[in-house]
Amino acid sequence: MTQQGVRWTTDQVLALAPDVASRKAGSKLGTAGPWSGTGSTDEGAVWGQCKGSGSRPYLTVVDIGGAQGAAYKCSCPSRKFPCKHALGLLLLWAGGTAQVPGSAAAPDWAEEWLAGRRERAERQRAAPQGAPAAPADPEAARRRAERRAQRITAGATELEQRLTDLLRGGLAQAEQAGYGLWEETAARMVDAQAPGLAARVRDLGAIPGSGPGWPARLLEECALLHLLDRGWLRQAELPEELAATVRSRVGLPASATGEPLRDRWLILSQYDTSDGHLTTRRIWLYGTESGRTVLLLSYGAAGRAPSLVLPPGLTLDASVSGRPGSLRAELTEQFGAPVAGGARPAGVDAGSALARYGDELRSDPWLESWPVTLTGVVPAHDADGGGGWQLADADGKSALPLTPAATASPGLWRLVALSGGSPVTVFGDCGHAGFRPLSAWSGTPDAPLIPLTD
């Protein structure tokens, strides 16, 4: 449950916005002027009525304490989640009890929706004790798996031939052929039910237009793709752990296994990426008791934002189920709304971060990055004067370059402002392209966590 005196910050509310336009529109509604009938409960429910252009106000209710993360209900026609009214209401709530007072009960129109959510959550919790589901047909499942494996093998064989043709004809033809060559090849991998291969092929298509040095980068990525192809075609000869990695990289799903782990999870970062068709939300959590770091993925299609939203800097009492050999996890159940506080992960220096990434590459050669926390680092310009940035240890003995994307991000200037030339702690991805900062905080125990992604 939330504590009545603990409310989210403005930054944590705005981190829920599905896009920049929603962030701006929600900010305009974060004042008392258009709102009436506002209230909230300790259980994480917030509601209010927002005056719009029509004669009837929009009825808005938010449940931030649900078992599967925050949820929103608004009578406006927006298809965005959360809509600008939900964002405005939460901003008002973040301002304190003077704007959104505590209440013993929600009004009927809000309570009806909240009660429905509670009822569905109870049914989900009771499902394992209910009547068992019809048993799956193991023989039919085996046949489906065999058919899919055969299709993937056919696709991997075809991809090997295309890579061979590319190298025989010279990399220059990749620039002349344009993106269409790779898109058509990726479509063939989708037909082969190998989404992992399809994604890597699509990435190849963007390399010829990526600036000076692209032939070397294209050759490197082709080599990794060839390695993955050969790994699939000869997986019977691989150690089981590496074979499982190959299957995962090709695109075969691995279900969560083992008992769910309940912990107080610090929400380290939340950010979205989009390929034009699908929006992927990545949420990094740190278990303050277990010391584990896990990644939650949520997806939104057709321009819709992913449904799972967890504001960075808060701590969530929840259970997650992990995937074998992966940082991936699934949110199993949430026991109340995110609250302030929570221990931060212990950091390492730049050299130790690189060593950890190198260790992980042994079991997964296709690993692009690994989550690490750097402690006692200072953002600084690269020593060569090329315009890049790095995170240097306070003693100046080692440093990690920032990725080009991080250098061009507004989050870099938030990091520089937070540091002011003094050492800070930074959480992010350490990989072959450099370090990408995702969040940061100063050395004091109660210092706020600052998101560095938009």
Side-chain angles (χ1 to χ4, degrees), residues 343-368:
R344 309 292 169 82
V348 298
D349 58 22
S352 299
L354 283 175
R356 180 62 189 276
Y357 175 56
D359 290 341
E360 296 299 329
L361 279 176
R362 296 177 184 175
S363 58
D364 185 356
W366 305 276
L367 184 66
E368 294 185 357

Side-chain angles (χ1 to χ4, degrees), residues 119-375:
E119 182 180 345
R120 287 190 294 273
E122 288 296 330
R123 285 201 301 266
Q124 290 175 357
R125 282 193 289 267
Q129 287 75 40
D137 184 349
E139 181 60 25
R142 185 189 64 80
R143 290 195 298 268
R144 287 194 298 270
E146 285 185 352
R147 288 194 297 269
R148 181 171 184 181
Q150 291 170 358
R151 283 192 285 267
I152 295 175
T153 297
T157 303
E158 178 182 344
L159 181 55
E160 279 292 281
Q161 185 60 53
R162 296 200 178 200
L163 290 175
T164 300
D165 294 343
L166 172 66
L167 295 178
R168 283 177 177 171
L171 296 180
Q173 69 171 309
E175 186 176 31
Q176 298 168 359
Y179 192 78
L181 168 68
W182 305 107
E183 186 60 37
E184 190 269 337
T185 304
R188 296 285 297 160
M189 296 305 103
V190 172
D191 293 340
Q193 293 186 285
L197 293 179
R200 299 190 77 93
V201 169
R202 286 196 180 96
D203 290 342
L204 293 180
I207 295 177
S210 62
W214 70 263
R217 293 192 293 274
L218 180 60
L219 186 60
E220 290 172 357
E221 293 302 320
C222 284
L224 285 172
L225 186 54
H226 166 70
L227 183 65
L228 183 57
D229 265 349
R230 299 305 297 173
W232 172 266
L233 295 173
R234 304 180 65 174
Q235 60 179 301
E237 304 172 28
L238 300 177
E240 177 51 36
E241 183 178 350
L242 183 56
T245 299
V246 168
R247 291 191 291 269
S248 175
R249 289 294 181 183
V250 164
L252 289 180
S255 58
T257 59
E259 289 294 324
L261 173 63
R262 182 173 178 177
D263 204 336
R264 289 178 54 80
W265 300 95
L266 174 65
I267 305 165
L268 287 169
S269 173
Q270 172 184 291
Y271 64 98
D272 295 349
T273 58
S274 177
D275 62 3
H277 304 284
L278 185 71
T279 298
T280 302
R281 175 164 294 162
R282 291 171 170 84
I283 302 175
W284 285 104
L285 304 179
Y286 169 73
T288 59
E289 298 173 8
S290 65
R292 286 185 56 186
T293 301
V294 299
L295 173 65
L296 306 181
L297 294 183
S298 182
Y299 302 95
R304 301 188 68 148
S307 59
L308 183 61
V309 285
L310 297 175
L314 298 180
T315 299
L316 182 69
D317 183 5
S319 60
V320 302
S321 297
R323 296 168 179 260
S326 173
L327 292 169
R328 283 279 309 276
E330 297 175 1
L331 184 62
T332 305
E333 187 172 1
Q334 179 177 330
F335 305 96
V339 298
R344 309 292 169 82
V348 298
D349 58 22
S352 299
L354 283 175
R356 180 62 189 276
Y357 175 56
D359 290 341
E360 296 299 329
L361 279 176
R362 296 177 184 175
S363 58
D364 185 356
W366 305 276
L367 184 66
E368 294 185 357
S369 61
W370 186 260
V372 295
T373 301
L374 297 176
T375 187

Side-chain angles (χ1 to χ4, degrees), residues 47-132:
W47 61 85
Q49 303 180 43
C50 185
K51 180 175 176 55
S53 57
S55 58
R56 294 184 177 181
Y58 294 119
L59 305 180
T60 308
V61 56
V62 180
D63 180 11
I64 60 174
Q68 294 296 329
Y72 317 90
K73 174 71 173 178
C74 185
S75 59
C76 76
S78 175
R79 296 181 61 191
K80 296 181 179 180
F81 295 95
C83 68
K84 63 180 181 180
H85 304 100
L87 288 171
L89 177 61
L90 287 176
L91 287 172
L92 197 66
W93 169 74
T97 56
Q99 305 295 342
V100 182
S103 177
D108 291 344
W109 58 268
E111 179 57 31
E112 181 180 357
W113 179 75
L114 292 167
R117 278 182 53 80
R118 290 193 293 268
E119 182 180 345
R120 287 190 294 273
E122 288 296 330
R123 285 201 301 266
Q124 290 175 357
R125 282 193 289 267
Q129 287 75 40

